[in-house]
């Protein structure tokens, strides 16, 4: 029998060891009990909404483009109708920092609500995989009994369950890849991507990762891999709302209802915990704020006729003194930083030009001689950052090198048609008679969008001997 089938009935969660790992280093595969209650209902409602958002976001179009798409092959991105090119990459700095600090604010005030309610790991584990497992293998007691007993019934159910898990993982990997490959192309290309190895290998990789994660690794992702749980200790304080056990009310815990505190040591809060901890041991890094223990304990309190809320959302101060302070200086500082970042992002995004042109002096000799003239070569890069096809006109500025008689500009391609979000390299030459040259001169090339009239002047330098 594998370690995943067994649980040492005598072992209890403690603060010194990770309960889901046995003392000999093998995995103690948790058989999480089912729970019902007001928080579970709310969470399932949120899961349904979020699963719809996670799966549908790349399929919904805004302004003719996917609501979210990071089109890596074409070095472009679409977000809520706005388009971005690789030249706008700096804007993602604001987005990423803003999201990070946003998470800090939420954690400071409400603890790990992200982990318990919105993280894709939790949403798909608790909202899809765990219910599927119950469908194929039954409730906790049933699963444990069957795992112990063995036989064809156990293995047939496991094979069916794992087949379903694998199929689901493949679908999720495709859904995830739709954030990077346009959905129309994806529909056309799956399942074998016409032999194109890159997406094929990525789809197999993500299928394997998701299957491994949701079928076996599970809570270990939160405990071992995710860095956010470890950051928690630095983000929460005495006033952060966390899920905790009211020690003043619960202790001394006692098996009987008549004597001691309100906790009857029934272990329900431990059995329903997806990370295998005992919340009665205090705030722990392993707690992902899933609320299972709240609902489980409320159910017990209802049964023994005691008030609900022995395990509840409250701050450490609230548990100790009965008073909480939600808004405090740390919250306002973080919120101000987020607002500043949002403002900067909106400002920078609004100032973006619809096209970008860069002119670079060609590598090699700065100038050449040709039939008594000095020639400078300029390499350009023109990028259409808009989502429409555009025609651009490239000329030298009207006053370019006007003080140098006989100067000519040679622009092989002065009318450039560009598809949305595409770019093109260009070249241009400036030629000046040797007799007109006395010193390096600055001048400009002009690029004009023939539809909008938007113009950009790009300064360059003419060099000679
Ligand atoms: S569910 Fe409630 S009563 Fe039962 S052990 Fe946990 S805290 Fe005590
Ligand atoms: S302690 Fe409670 S809230 Fe925390 S992970 Fe376990 S069941 Fe969820």
């Amino acid at each position: 029998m594998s370690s995943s089938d067994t649980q040492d009935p005598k072992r209890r969660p403690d603060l010194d060891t990770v309960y889901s790992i046995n003392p000999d280093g093998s995995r103690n595969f948790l058989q999480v009990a089912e729970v019902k209650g007001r928080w579970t209902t709310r969470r399932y409602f949120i899961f349904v909404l979020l699963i719809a958002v996670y799966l549908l976001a790349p399929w919904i179009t805004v302004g003719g483009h996917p609501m979210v798409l990071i089109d890596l092959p074409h070095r472009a991105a679409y977000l809520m109708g706005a388009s971005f090119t690789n030249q706008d990459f700096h804007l993602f700095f604001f987005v990423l920092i803003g999201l990070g600090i946003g998470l800090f604010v939420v954690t400071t005030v409400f603890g790990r609500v992200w982990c318990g309610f919105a993280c894709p790991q939790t949403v798909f584990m608790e909202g899809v995989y765990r219910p599927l497992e119950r469908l194929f293998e039954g409730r906790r007691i049933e699963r444990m009994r069957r795992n112990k007993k063995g036989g064809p019934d156990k293995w047939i159910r496991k094979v069916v369950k794992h087949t379903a898990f694998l199929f689901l993982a493949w679908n999720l990997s495709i859904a995830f890849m739709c954030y990077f490959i346009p959905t129309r192309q994806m529909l056309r290309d799956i399942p074998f991507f016409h032999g194109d190895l890159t997406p094929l290998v990525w789809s197999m990789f993500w299928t394997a990762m998701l299957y491994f994660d949701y079928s076996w690794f599970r809570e270990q992702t939160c405990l071992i891999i995710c860095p956010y749980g470890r950051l928690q200790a630095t983000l929460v304080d005495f006033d952060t709302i966390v899920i905790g056990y009211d020690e003043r009310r619960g202790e001394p815990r006692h098996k009987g209802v008549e004597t001691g505190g309100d906790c009857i040591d029934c272990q329900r809060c431990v059995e329903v915990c997806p990370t295998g901890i005992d919340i009665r041991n205090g705030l722990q890094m392993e707690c992902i704020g899933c609320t299972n223990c709240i609902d489980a304990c409320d159910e017990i309190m209802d049964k023994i006729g005691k008030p609900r809320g022995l395990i509840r959302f409250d701050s450490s101060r609230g548990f100790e003194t009965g008073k909480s302070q939600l808004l405090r200086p740390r919250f306002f500082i973080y919120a101000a930083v987020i607002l500043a970042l949002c403002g900067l992002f909106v400002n920078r995004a609004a100032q973006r030009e619809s096209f970008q042109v860069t002119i670079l002096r060609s590598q090699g000799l700065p100038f050449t001689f040709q039939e008594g003239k000095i020639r400078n070569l300029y390499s350009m890069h023109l990028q259409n950052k808009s989502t429409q096809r555009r025609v651009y006109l490239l000329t030298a500025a009207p006053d370019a090198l006007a003080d140098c008689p006989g100067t000519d500009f040679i622009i092989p391609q002065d009318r450039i048609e560009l598809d949305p979000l595409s770019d093109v390299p260009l070249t241009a030459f400036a030629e000046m008679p040797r007799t007109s040259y006395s010193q390096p001169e600055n001048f400009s090339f002009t690029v004009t969008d023939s539809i909008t009239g938007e113009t950009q002047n790009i300064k360059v330098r003419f060099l000679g001997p």
Side-chain angles (χ1 to χ4, degrees):
M1 196 177 294
S2 73
S3 63
S4 66
D5 293 338
T6 59
Q7 258 184 315
D8 179 356
K10 291 196 191 104
R11 189 172 164 222
R12 294 279 173 94
D14 56 46
L15 289 176
D16 301 322
T17 59
V18 177
Y19 185 64
S20 54
I21 297 175
N22 289 317
D24 63 0
S26 63
R27 176 75 181 282
N28 177 22
F29 196 87
L30 300 175
Q31 296 292 353
V32 180
E34 321 48 56
V35 65
K36 280 186 186 150
R38 59 199 164 123
W39 283 106
T40 307
T41 308
R42 285 171 199 166
R43 281 208 321 150
Y44 278 127
F45 181 71
I46 293 170
F47 289 167
V48 170
L49 276 182
L50 286 177
I51 288 172
V53 170
Y54 292 147
L55 298 186
L56 295 181
W59 296 83
I60 297 170
T61 51
V62 180
H65 297 285
M67 195 166 97
V68 188
L69 174 67
I70 300 166
D71 191 350
L72 290 177
H74 299 103
R75 290 174 291 163
Y78 302 90
L79 183 66
M80 311 295 282
S83 57
F84 302 90
T85 66
N86 53 337
Q87 302 286 347
D88 302 316
F89 190 71
H90 64 286
L91 290 175
F92 280 92
F93 165 79
F94 297 110
V95 175
L96 291 179
I97 298 282
L99 286 176
I101 296 179
L103 200 54
F104 283 8
V105 177
V106 171
T107 309
T108 301
V109 181
F110 299 111
R112 291 176 74 173
V113 281
W114 161 260
C115 300
F117 287 77
C119 172
Q121 170 73 16
T122 305
V123 169
F124 286 101
M125 185 68 237
E126 303 302 330
V128 181
Y129 278 89
R130 197 94 67 190
L132 260 186
E133 183 165 73
R134 279 182 205 127
L135 180 73
F136 293 120
E137 292 198 85
R139 296 166 69 84
R140 177 177 190 259
I141 298 288
E142 214 180 314
R143 287 199 304 272
M144 289 170 73
R145 200 180 297 137
R146 195 179 291 114
N147 284 345
K148 207 168 169 196
K149 190 172 154 210
D153 184 33
K154 168 187 166 181
W155 293 112
I156 289 169
R157 284 170 187 272
K158 284 205 183 291
V159 167
V160 173
K161 179 187 88 172
H162 283 283
T163 308
F165 277 11
L166 198 57
F167 181 69
L168 198 57
W170 179 70
N171 277 282
L172 288 181
S173 78
I174 296 295
F176 175 66
M177 286 173 66
C178 283
Y179 281 85
F180 300 93
I181 297 174
T183 48
R184 207 176 303 155
Q185 184 186 335
M186 187 62 111
L187 274 183
R188 205 181 52 221
D189 292 355
I190 52 174
F192 299 117
F193 298 93
H194 305 300
D196 185 350
L197 274 187
T198 307
L200 188 60
V201 168
W202 276 113
S203 77
M204 287 160 65
F205 171 77
W206 284 116
T207 302
M209 289 298 287
L210 291 168
Y211 172 69
F212 171 73
D213 182 34
Y214 289 121
S215 67
W216 191 77
F217 206 53
R218 299 190 167 184
E219 77 287 342
Q220 299 298 308
T221 302
C222 311
L223 305 187
I224 297 172
I225 294 178
C226 179
Y228 176 55
R230 282 167 175 71
L231 272 179
Q232 191 192 200
T234 61
L235 298 175
V236 301
D237 58 25
F238 209 45
D239 291 303
T240 300
I241 299 294
V242 292
I243 292 175
Y245 163 72
D246 190 341
E247 218 174 295
R248 291 190 307 167
R249 201 187 121 183
E251 301 295 314
R253 60 188 81 159
H254 200 278
K255 284 280 181 196
V257 180
E258 304 304 331
T259 52
D262 284 356
C263 175
I264 58 167
D265 205 16
C266 65
Q267 297 291 314
R268 263 292 282 166
C269 52
V270 180
E271 288 170 5
V272 298
C273 180
T275 58
I277 60 172
D278 186 341
I279 192 67
R280 295 173 300 168
N281 291 335
L283 184 61
Q284 292 152 76
M285 190 206 79
E286 291 95 330
C287 175
I288 57 165
C290 74
T291 71
N292 279 3
C293 52
I294 298 182
D295 280 342
C297 190
D298 279 352
E299 204 182 342
I300 299 296
M301 291 299 112
D302 287 349
K303 279 184 187 158
I304 64 172
K306 296 271 172 81
R308 288 180 169 191
L310 178 57
I311 297 175
R312 63 176 185 273
F313 275 112
D314 205 341
S315 64
S316 301
R317 190 189 303 278
F319 281 113
E320 270 186 27
T321 65
K323 288 183 191 148
S324 298
Q325 185 194 357
L326 210 58
L327 301 179
R328 45 205 190 277
R330 187 199 274 234
F331 168 79
F332 291 108
I333 292 168
Y334 284 154
V337 174
I338 290 185
L339 280 179
L341 282 167
C342 287
L344 270 173
F345 176 78
V346 171
N347 176 275
R348 297 303 296 264
Q351 283 181 4
R352 282 186 321 138
E353 291 137 340
S354 69
F355 67 92
Q356 180 153 351
V357 55
T358 42
I359 299 191
L360 303 166
R361 181 172 290 282
S362 289
Q363 288 181 346
L365 289 174
F367 56 85
T368 55
F369 286 111
Q370 207 161 2
E371 297 165 3
K373 290 181 171 180
I374 306 164
R375 174 180 274 202
N376 279 207
L377 165 65
Y378 303 95
S379 297
M380 308 185 188
H381 180 257
L382 175 62
Q383 183 171 41
N384 176 7
K385 292 164 77 175
S386 77
T387 52
Q388 282 98 38
R389 188 175 170 77
R390 290 283 160 87
V391 177
Y392 300 97
L393 305 175
L394 171 62
T395 59
D399 59 350
L401 302 177
D403 297 337
C404 308
T407 300
D408 278 332
F409 298 98
I410 304 160
I411 303 175
Q413 198 182 351
D414 56 1
R415 187 176 183 282
I416 308 114
E417 290 188 27
L418 277 186
D419 286 333
L421 303 176
S422 61
D423 56 349
V424 65
L426 299 166
T427 50
F429 302 89
E431 277 186 354
M432 185 187 291
R434 174 75 180 85
T435 49
S436 300
Y437 182 81
S438 56
Q439 60 183 19
E441 298 280 352
N442 293 331
F443 72 99
S444 300
F445 283 103
T446 301
V447 179
T448 307
D449 183 329
S450 65
I451 297 169
T452 64
E454 186 182 335
T455 295
Q456 286 186 34
N457 290 317
I458 297 91
K459 284 196 175 133
V460 292
R461 201 163 167 79
F462 186 92
L463 295 176

